[in-house]
Amino acid sequence: MKIEKEVRYYFPDKFKKRLEEKIEKCALEYKGKYFIQTLMFDNPNPDYSFYLPEIDGRLRLRKFESLEPDKFSSRAFLSWKQRLKKEGGINEEIEIEVRFRAEDYENIRKILEEVLRCKYMGGYEMYRTIFEGKGVEVTINEYPFGIALEIEAKDPKINLQEFITALDLQKFNPYYLSNDDMYEALCKKKGIKPKPEIFFDDPDMPKLE
């Protein structure tokens, strides 16, 4: 079972170029840009809902469509992610992933919904640019409401604070909120009723400012 440590920051869309420039200075390897569709499902038994505070987990079906298919392949995942600890702006989480062909995405969805009777909870879209090296993975996630920058330690010995400093992020506040939590917080602030899907074609989408 994989235990991961990561730190997450949220920014308005206008910060994208600035973030890319900071990552470039760290000399990390570019690993591709993808359009990602994520669907989330709950336990068919409500007594064991993944969304209960004592569980605080997400069962996700994800498809990564490469925007550069000549360089990077498309793929799909079924994953379980569960928060364990939040400390100093850093999340410690369990993550279990099963990778399969992107072509099997719809078949896996049918098994979850029609065979296992998992409840569909909603979904979201994003563009993800991935950089790796020096024991970390850094991603720029472009959501319909704004940008999330995530730094994940691939080596448990890595000190994430060193990369926070290298990317000049120490003046910004990290967030424990997942993207769906952030979306709901923005909706509440703007007086908008949250929707189960966080999609780019939503005309009522609130924005980080």
Side-chain angles (χ1 to χ4, degrees), residues 25 85 101 116 139 152 176 178 183 197 209:
K25 290 180 180 178
K85 188 168 63 174
R101 299 183 310 161
L116 298 178
T139 60
E152 178 185 337
Y176 296 117
S178 62
Y183 166 69
E197 280 112 5
E209 299 173 354

Side-chain angles (χ1 to χ4, degrees), residues 39 44 54 62 64 104 107-108 132 150 156 163-164 208:
L39 305 179
E54 59 267 31
R62 319 186 81 178
F64 287 59
D104 291 328
N107 287 334
I108 298 297
E132 290 183 356
E150 296 183 5
F163 285 89
I164 291 170
L208 285 165

Side-chain angles (χ1 to χ4, degrees), residues 31 149 174 188:
K31 302 296 286 186
L149 176 71
K188 184 177 181 180

Side-chain angles (χ1 to χ4, degrees), residues 16-17 23 29 31 60 103 120 153 158 172 186 209:
K16 181 185 175 185
K17 185 175 181 181
I23 292 171
E29 182 182 359
K31 302 296 286 186
R60 306 179 301 185
E103 293 83 357
Y120 172 63
I158 291 295
F172 299 103
L186 286 172
E209 299 173 354

Side-chain angles (χ1 to χ4, degrees), residues 107-125:
N107 287 334
I108 298 297
R109 179 177 183 174
K110 286 181 180 179
I111 290 174
L112 288 170
E113 291 187 311
E114 299 176 17
V115 180
L116 298 178
R117 301 294 180 181
C118 293
K119 182 181 178 182
Y120 172 63
M121 300 299 290
Y124 55 90
E125 299 173 333

Side-chain angles (χ1 to χ4, degrees), residues 70-118:
D70 57 324
K71 295 182 181 179
F72 306 102
S73 61
S74 298
R75 56 191 189 272
F77 298 88
L78 181 65
S79 70
W80 168 254
K81 198 163 189 176
Q82 184 178 16
R83 299 170 189 166
L84 297 179
K85 188 168 63 174
K86 308 171 186 177
E87 186 176 345
I90 295 173
N91 290 317
E92 187 172 304
E93 302 171 324
I94 292 173
E95 184 173 38
I96 305 171
E97 285 186 342
V98 178
R99 179 183 295 192
F100 50 91
R101 299 183 310 161
E103 293 83 357
D104 291 328
Y105 177 82
E106 289 299 330
N107 287 334
I108 298 297
R109 179 177 183 174
K110 286 181 180 179
I111 290 174
L112 288 170
E113 291 187 311
E114 299 176 17
V115 180
L116 298 178
R117 301 294 180 181
C118 293

Side-chain angles (χ1 to χ4, degrees), residues 161-176:
Q161 291 297 333
E162 293 180 5
F163 285 89
I164 291 170
T165 301
L167 291 169
D168 196 24
L169 296 169
Q170 60 271 31
K171 59 186 175 183
F172 299 103
N173 293 322
Y175 285 86
Y176 296 117

